[in-house]
Amino acid sequence: MPFSMVVSPIGQWFARFFSFNTLIIAAITIGVLCILTLVSYGIDRFFGRYETNTAIYEEISWFVSLAIAMLFMQATFMALHADIDNSQLGWQYSNAQFIILFYCLYIVHRKTVLLFNMGLPIYIYGLAIIRHQTQFNILNLLAMLLLIAIIWVVYRNSEWLIDSAWYYATQFLFGVAWWSILKGIRIMTVSQVLLLTFEFMLMMTIVHFGNIEIRAMIKRYMKLEKDNGYDFLTGVRNRRTFNEVSNEVFEVYSNNDLPVAMAMFDIDHFKLFNDQYGHQVGDSVLKYVAQLFSDELFERKTNAQLFRVGGEEFTIIFRNRTSAEAAPIVKAIRDILVEKTFEVKDGLDVRITVSIGVTDLKKSDQSAKDFYKRVDKYLYQAKNNSRNSMSVEGDVSSLS
């Protein structure tokens, strides 16, 4: 290959990339990514308020959001350049869309985003064949299969890939597969395909480091919420608040004759939800159970406080109630939980059960830790009784 044939595309790429149009495209792309990040947080927050499984609505919301983002970018870039499909500006526009797709594939981790990523190249290439813009050939088929394989690998392994060197390998393969498909539709050389792939990787790397900062901001926000006393996932009080409140309760109630009870419950076989259906379903179960108990305690005017003290462990402090008075309340809420079903995936509903321990504050307790250790012991008595059981002051009964 003559040297001039290589230098010419590189020179054209430099002139195009370092231009005012690139700044406009970058600004629009970053704006859309920021909006999608806010949408992600908003969707999780909005549907997190509901007791029922809202996974299907969250999936639909993400599909619609991603489709709107892609259509918005297409309309915006076409407004910038009327003949965008046949221009080099159109190549930058395509890279901007690839960035949106790749970003959402790593960050959002939704089935609809997976299907959108897999379906789009099939749709674009199929439409080009129907319109006689290209003909079917084996190289395009191989490029499409490579793209679908990379999309699947990223979807299944995004959590560890995003912080590893393999992230950049997936970037390259995603970009080169997409541009190899488009090479069969648009007139371009192999050197242009490689340069456009490099451009995609360069822009995606900038976005990636920006995303690292965004993730750090979200972690700081989660830490702030934790410091403010509430669990980020379930919205109930956290372990730090429990330690403070239980110590205050001990100081007050250990010096008078007023009763105070503590209940502790654990979601039965919770690990199976994570292992069989994924951590997203596990998180939904935690939110669902916490919301149900929180709402029922409020509706019953118990003035009780609910805390998440561990992975799937929760405690309730009942001021001015004995264990004999608190136990029926907790059991009644548990019965409501068991009567309902929870959809773990399409067409599969399960019943969630809990194991419960209940105790009073005793005169013999030397600290809040003694109070907590006893209710924890009673909880494990219930769990050891084939789970779905309740232990009130060591008296264990099955709740089946």
Side-chain angles (χ1 to χ4, degrees):
M1 181 183 291
F3 181 70
S4 60
M5 292 181 65
V6 177
V7 173
S8 180
I10 294 176
Q12 291 175 2
W13 178 82
F14 266 97
R16 177 174 52 81
F17 187 75
F18 295 99
S19 66
F20 183 68
N21 280 332
T22 301
L23 290 176
I24 295 174
I25 291 171
I28 294 170
T29 306
I30 291 170
V32 171
L33 290 174
C34 289
I35 291 171
L36 285 172
T37 302
L38 293 173
V39 166
S40 174
Y41 182 76
I43 288 174
D44 288 343
R45 279 295 194 183
F46 178 79
F47 288 109
R49 300 179 302 174
Y50 295 93
E51 296 179 10
T52 55
N53 185 8
T54 58
I56 183 65
Y57 302 109
E58 294 178 48
E59 294 284 359
I60 292 171
S61 297
W62 260 113
F63 186 88
V64 172
S65 298
L66 186 53
I68 290 173
M70 299 292 281
L71 291 172
F72 169 78
M73 293 185 73
Q74 182 178 13
T76 303
F77 290 131
M78 288 187 71
L80 291 173
H81 200 291
D83 194 27
I84 194 167
D85 286 336
N86 297 313
S87 69
Q88 291 192 354
L89 178 62
W91 297 352
Q92 286 182 304
Y93 148 69
S94 295
N95 262 337
Q97 285 196 314
F98 298 160
I99 288 169
I100 299 295
L101 292 170
F102 194 73
Y103 176 86
C104 289
L105 189 61
Y106 261 103
I107 303 303
V108 178
H109 200 74
R110 298 281 182 180
K111 290 179 181 176
T112 46
V113 174
L114 170 69
L115 294 175
F116 196 104
N117 265 279
M118 286 184 168
L120 191 60
I122 297 172
Y123 168 77
I124 289 174
Y125 189 64
L127 192 63
I129 292 175
I130 293 171
R131 291 177 174 177
H132 304 291
Q133 294 173 316
T134 188
Q135 293 181 343
F136 176 81
N137 67 69
I138 192 66
L139 291 178
N140 283 335
L141 177 61
L142 291 174
M144 194 174 300
L145 291 175
L146 173 63
L147 179 59
I148 291 173
I150 289 299
I151 290 168
W152 177 251
V153 168
V154 170
Y155 175 77
R156 295 287 294 178
N157 303 281
S158 59
E159 290 185 3
W160 72 266
L161 278 172
I162 197 168
D163 293 316
S164 73
W166 287 103
Y167 172 82
Y168 300 100
T170 60
Q171 263 189 18
F172 173 76
L173 292 172
F174 184 91
V176 81
W178 254 116
W179 281 114
S180 296
I181 293 170
L182 293 185
K183 181 179 179 294
I185 302 173
R186 302 177 183 179
I187 300 172
M188 60 178 69
T189 63
V190 173
S191 59
Q192 286 174 324
V193 167
L194 294 175
L195 283 170
L196 287 164
T197 301
F198 173 74
E199 179 181 313
F200 165 74
M201 292 185 66
L202 181 61
M203 295 173 69
M204 195 64 239
T205 299
I206 294 170
V207 169
H208 176 59
F209 283 107
N211 178 58
I212 290 174
E213 183 58 31
I214 291 172
R215 288 162 63 200
M217 289 172 61
I218 292 173
K219 286 180 180 179
R220 288 195 293 269
Y221 179 76
M222 291 171 64
K223 183 179 184 299
L224 179 62
E225 283 202 333
K226 182 178 179 181
D227 291 342
N228 284 337
Y230 286 85
D231 177 54
F232 178 77
L233 177 65
T234 62
V236 303
R237 294 170 180 85
N238 60 19
R239 180 59 183 257
R240 175 176 172 270
T241 308
F242 170 75
N243 291 337
E244 293 175 355
V245 172
S246 61
N247 284 326
E248 291 172 2
V249 165
F250 178 80
E251 292 299 324
V252 173
Y253 285 84
S254 62
N255 294 318
N256 59 51
D257 294 327
L258 294 174
V260 60
M262 186 184 298
M264 188 174 186
F265 67 90
D266 179 291
I267 300 172
D268 292 332
H269 306 292
F270 178 74
K271 188 174 183 295
L272 293 179
F273 287 105
N274 284 330
D275 292 346
Q276 292 187 8
Y277 310 113
H279 288 278
Q280 184 180 332
V281 171
D283 288 348
S284 296
V285 169
L286 287 170
K287 289 189 286 186
Y288 170 68
V289 173
Q291 191 65 55
L292 187 144
F293 268 83
S294 181
D295 289 348
E296 289 297 325
L297 288 169
F298 176 78
E299 290 294 330
R300 295 165 189 271
K301 298 179 174 60
T302 60
N303 293 320
Q305 291 175 291
L306 175 66
F307 308 83
R308 183 186 177 197
V309 295
E312 66 271 23
E313 292 181 344
F314 297 81
T315 59
I316 309 171
I317 293 179
F318 292 90
R319 290 177 172 83
N320 303 321
R321 293 182 190 270
T322 64
S323 58
E325 294 168 331
I329 297 172
V330 180
K331 183 181 181 300
I333 299 173
R334 172 265 173 201
D335 291 344
I336 293 172
L337 174 69
V338 173
E339 285 171 6
K340 298 183 178 182
T341 58
F342 184 87
E343 186 181 36
V344 292
K345 64 179 182 179
D346 292 344
L348 180 59
D349 295 337
V350 299
R351 295 190 187 277
I352 301 171
T353 63
V354 294
S355 299
I356 307 165
V358 188
T359 189
D360 286 315
L361 178 66
K362 309 292 186 185
K363 292 291 185 182
S364 58
D365 290 336
Q366 299 298 308
S367 67
K369 287 184 179 180
D370 293 337
F371 192 14
Y372 175 77
K373 285 180 180 179
R374 187 168 56 258
V375 76
D376 185 55
K377 181 181 75 173
Y378 293 155
L379 168 63
Y380 276 87
Q381 282 183 351
K383 291 176 69 173
N384 290 333
N385 188 49
S386 300
R387 293 184 170 83
N388 194 21
S389 301
M390 173 182 264
S391 175
V392 182
E393 301 294 1
D395 183 13
V396 184
S397 58
S398 175
L399 300 176
S400 300

